[in-house]
Amino acid sequence: MYFSTLLITAALARLGLAQRWYTLQDDYSSSNFFNMFNFQTENDPTGGYVNYVDQGTAQNGGMISVQSSGQVYIGVDHTNTASGRGRNSVRLESKNTYTHALVVLSLAHMPGGICGTWPAFWMFGPQWPASGEIDIIEGVNNANTNSMTGHTTPGCSATYPASAFTGAQLSSDCDTAVNSNQGCSTVDPDSRSYGAGFNAQGGGVYAMEWTTYYIQVFFWPAGAAPANVFSDNPEPWTWGEPAFLLQGGCDIDAHFANHQIVFDNTFCGSWAGAAWGGGCAAQHGGSCNAFVQDNPGAFADSYWLVDSLKVYRMQGSFKRDVDEGGLEGREAVAEAEAEAEAEAEAEAEAEAAFGYQGLPRNITKEEGAPARRRRHLGEHLRGVKA
């Protein structure tokens, strides 16, 4: 099912509903940050060369702290030679779970861009992959761009037109059994989105919006996020095109539910270790595990520095009106559908006159993206109203 965030929220705004979309659910403030997470200490499920430690060990080892600035530090052991399961690190899993959410993370620093590392900020549900996985920030070794991915059971694909998001899609099928579990993956071409480039310009902000109809991820470099991102009532429909969009060939509610939020920083394993044979092997030689074991100082910069993490939920009236088909929501959808049908007619006339997707030749593909989304919405919204 296709669904246009911009169009439906415009209709809702005319009904006076849009301002009630999101309210704060959980604030992972520095004063209570670590109390809102469990410290996972089991073996790394990705086969990493890592020893996840408990909260006391992490605190005594200098791997976690709250800075005098109020920022939250989450790092790894960068002093000792590793042994046993691997280098000491932490894996935080939120005590609260979420189905549909707007998650906003502001970071001053991330651990990516270092050979041997595999950091991620992500979400997953029980009985993986039955409840899905959403990777918001992820990369390995010396990567300089961010990977955003959905992982699911069969039957979920990201098939919305590429003009609706700014990233470069690598694969559309989210099924973990396809393409060696590559998932429906999109890479942000902005080198400020990950690793060294992200840290050099002072960090940035990530926002992930998950609704019944779509999952999308936004990124802004430090100082570039819209002001309402940090408000009590953020307005994602005003943020433009996302970097990542999972929409189209996926029943979101059938594949994603009850997610925990995760910060981790593993080493090597099934991705970073498998990719070691590229630039990192040429730079450091040997194996990924050997490098991580014997070079603790290489990982001094492998840390998260969190400015803020907040989770918002849909206000009850909006959820009822749209997700549950309430009267005001149906009226908004009907209005949006009428607008979409009018747009489709106008595009058909323009296509006959100008010969390019219903758009005059002097209008760019990017400028035409909202119009194309409205056309798709007109074709599919009847299923929303049913």
Side-chain angles (χ1 to χ4, degrees), residues 20-29 36 98 102-104 229-234 308-315:
R20 292 184 282 161
W21 254 40
Y22 286 107
T23 57
L24 183 64
Q25 179 175 357
D26 288 318
D27 184 353
Y28 288 74
S29 63
M36 298 180 73
Y98 307 93
L102 175 64
V103 178
V104 180
V229 170
F230 303 105
S231 74
D232 291 337
N233 302 105
S308 64
L309 171 61
K310 295 183 179 182
V311 180
Y312 300 83
R313 62 183 171 189
M314 280 188 176
Q315 191 79 347

Side-chain angles (χ1 to χ4, degrees), residues 166-249:
T166 61
Q169 189 177 70
L170 301 181
S171 56
S172 61
D173 196 333
C174 307
D175 185 358
T176 59
V178 174
N179 297 327
S180 301
N181 189 24
Q182 185 177 23
C184 44
S185 183
T186 296
V187 172
D188 191 334
D190 189 339
S191 62
R192 299 171 297 176
S193 68
Y194 185 81
F198 180 92
N199 296 332
Q201 48 89 46
V205 178
Y206 274 93
M208 187 282 301
E209 184 186 22
W210 165 13
T211 75
T212 291
Y213 307 107
Y214 54 82
I215 295 170
Q216 56 184 353
V217 176
F218 297 86
F219 165 70
W220 303 276
N228 72 65
V229 170
F230 303 105
S231 74
D232 291 337
N233 302 105
E235 301 174 352
W237 57 92
T238 68
W239 297 348
E241 305 294 350
F244 167 85
L245 178 63
L246 171 49
Q247 187 178 5

